[in-house]
Amino acid sequence: MTERVPVLSAHDLRVSFPARHGHGVAHAVDRVNLDVYPGEIVALVGESGCGKTTLARTLLGLEKPGGGQVLHHGQPVRYTSRGLKAYRRDVQLVLQDPSGSLNPRHTVYEAVAEGLRIHGHTALGDFPDEQAKVADALARAGLRPAERFFLRYPHELSGGQRQRVVIAGALVLDPAILVADEPVASLDASVRGEILKLLLGLRDERGLSALVVTHDLGLAWNIADRVAVMYLGRIVETGPVEKILTAPEHPYTRALLSVLPESGLSEAGGAGPTILTGEAPDPTRIPTGCRFHPRCPVVASGRAAALDIEAACRGRDLPVLDGGGEAQVACHAVGSDAGAPDLRTTPTPRPGAGAAPRRRRR
Amino acid sequence: MTQPGRAPEARPDKAPTAQLLDIRNLTVTYRTGGGPLPAVRGVDLSLAAGQKLGLAGESGCGKSTLAASVLRLLPPGTTTTGEILLGGEDVLTMGWSRLRAVRWAGASIVFQGAMHSLNPVRRIAHQIAEPILLHDKVSETLAHERVAVLLEQVGLAAARASAYPHELSGGQRQRVMIAMALACSPNLIVADEPTTALDVMVQAQILRLIGDLVAAQGISLLMISHDLAVLAQTCDRLAVMYAGRIVEDGPAHQVFTDGRHPYTRALAAAFPRIGDPSSRRAPHGLPGDPPDPTALPTGCAFRPRCPLAIETCAHVDPALSVAGPGRAAACVHVTSVPTGGER
Ligand SMILES: Nc1ncnc2c1ncn2[C@@H]1O[C@H](COP(=O)(O)OP(=O)(O)O)[C@@H](O)[C@H]1O
Ligand SMILES: Nc1ncnc2c1ncn2[C@@H]1O[C@H](COP(=O)(O)OP(=O)(O)O)[C@@H](O)[C@H]1O
Ligand code: SF4
Ligand code: SF4
Ligand SMILES: [Mg+2]
Ligand SMILES: [Mg+2]
């Protein structure tokens, strides 16, 4: 893995905005490292407001970083109009259609051909003409026979078909990577499964990489290789999907997993859901120490105090996690020497726990 | 209470019901430019006092239409047949004044998009107080005391009482909707997609809130969602709807984990179980779309998408049949006696 170069990387990325209400600065993305390797599907998960869309937009070159870098095949993205044009052809955005990605007055053909026209005849590749290229993209997105869809309007399609048109519009430029922001959020589960199959198939058959932004951990289990859990502008836990979703260590990841309806069914004897109070925390006022501490069940239950880490939780910064493949977690309660404490039961204090903030790797 | 001529005993042809809500052979047909659109095509569904019933199905299968019909909130020109007995009274035939009383105090509804259902230019305390003033005919002071209690019950700080809807988050607005639904102490709450479009954590907060409140106050709940997993977790019973019909009905957990109808099984399989190797890197969907209600296939409406369809399915439109204790499903492969009236 080390000799491979990521298709797309965030390197110590920072993005902030003047606060929408009142004063101050919203630190929407606050030092994020994240790599997506060729042929890899990475899921970026977290509650709404944690900065996922801002990170995705910045990776797409739609937002300029306030600090750090976006790397494309290892090279810093150049924010000139020429540099961005080439970049945006290779890194395609897929939004969900209800957010207005399709113009209701454009036919399916026009919607897909639009990107091609921006990039001129070089974008046609080996195809003889625009029509053949558009038909190929529609077919790859699962709309077959493609010609039957050319003259349809979005309102004449089902939700799943519209989402396939959006994906075809991205595929038509033969990108190396798709950045998909909540691509299936409001679709029926039946349709969602079909769209996820499509994304997985594009990776398996064509080696396409994807960064999928979602608040749906089931989606990560369905298609992703790696997952990064974001909280208030920072990645707090990351690693292979099997590890992070079946043996999560960060209290935030654990809480997110515990409230899934499916997990409630297999709960017999389990600890039950950990429902965090409050909603999207405020990026204009990032708490000191661990940014999750005001909502952390380990602190609230007194277990942090028992572990002798409460002061660290409230006051000591945690290291920023790497963007690479290995499992890592940013939490004072997770000690590299002692192994993960069982955060659900009352732990016995460990000597030396909380001595230094840790970034744990395996 | 009951209007003259509307009391259950005045209708000797109908057996009295022990159910709080008893929907019998309901059909709802919209009038559209393209002709009549049968959105609900013969639904029998009942809900006992204090029970939580989930109604699942893909979008367009008629869930919201069914919900709206319970409170007769359908657009003018819509044709409805059958009966909707709420506490023994038929909602479909009651007079307007009785209906107005029933709408808040008998049953109330929580809609999906709280932003659209709340008045954007009125403070939320006033909106919650409105039905109380209208129906309970109490003083302003008493109404506002009740609002304060309701806000606390739904987990909103008293300071939020003077907020306008746009000043609240999606989750907070949904809490306001729930407070309004509770305002006149109804026996039944109909919640149409109450957590769709909310974040996982906020969804969990709202589901727990609804679950706790209906349990504490003995309210019956009809909860509608396209999310079978959410319903299986929240409800006692689960009914699955397809193309305007109930195709399966039974104990929630059994329907979710061991559906009898091929549609139920396909829907349930679309929800990944984290940790389950069979869904790892293997999303399951259901190809195709639900049929256009104005152009239904012959025989079973699910046939074009059904992996188990056989020759017979093109001719037979199966009725709900007993499919185990307390269970029913409408499929030719469920070879049992029709449920008739006594489900
Ligand atoms: N253009 C902007 N101006 C001000 N604040 C913004 C802007 N875009 C996003 N934010 C804020 O940044 C935070 C992260 O937002 P976003 O990236 O949309 O999160 P997510 O996609 O995870 O829901 C939120 O608090 C949001 O209000
Ligand atoms: N006001 C209306 N006029 C005409 N058709 C409608 C109306 N409301 C819904 N429908 C149609 O009725 C069917 C059922 O819709 P709905 O009850 O909203 O389903 P669901 O809530 O399950 O998504 C759909 O085909 C829909 O297009
Ligand atoms: S560092 Fe402390 S506050 Fe933060 S997640 Fe870990 S235990 Fe909770
Ligand atoms: S009746 Fe036939 S088509 Fe309908 S669900 Fe059963 S097997 Fe499938
Ligand atoms: Mg977002
Ligand atoms: Mg609906």
Side-chain angles (χ1 to χ4, degrees), chain B residues 8 11-12 14-19 22 24 85:
Chain B
R11 310 162 51 110
K14 303 298 170 215
T17 172
Q19 307 284 3
D22 198 354
R24 298 182 181 178
L85 303 178

Side-chain angles (χ1 to χ4, degrees), chain A residues 325-340:
Chain A
E326 71 279 39
Q328 304 160 67
V329 53
C331 167
H332 292 297
V334 182
S336 56
D337 41 353

Side-chain angles (χ1 to χ4, degrees), chain A residues 88-103:
Chain A
R88 286 186 190 145
R89 182 169 150 188
D90 203 41
V91 183
Q92 279 289 311
L93 173 64
V94 175
L95 288 172
Q96 200 185 325
D97 175 55
S99 58
S101 0
L102 292 177
N103 183 330

Side-chain angles (χ1 to χ4, degrees), chain A residues 33-46:
Chain A
N33 294 310
L34 187 65
D35 298 327
V36 183
Y37 286 92
E40 194 181 34
I41 300 181
V42 177
L44 177 67
V45 303

Side-chain angles (χ1 to χ4, degrees), chain B residues 30-32 37 39 57-66 75 192-193 224 293:
Chain B
Y30 290 110
R31 193 173 61 193
T32 72
L37 185 144
E58 289 165 291
S59 29
C61 69
K63 304 182 298 297
S64 294
T65 303
L66 184 62
D192 191 0
E193 309 267 6
I224 292 167

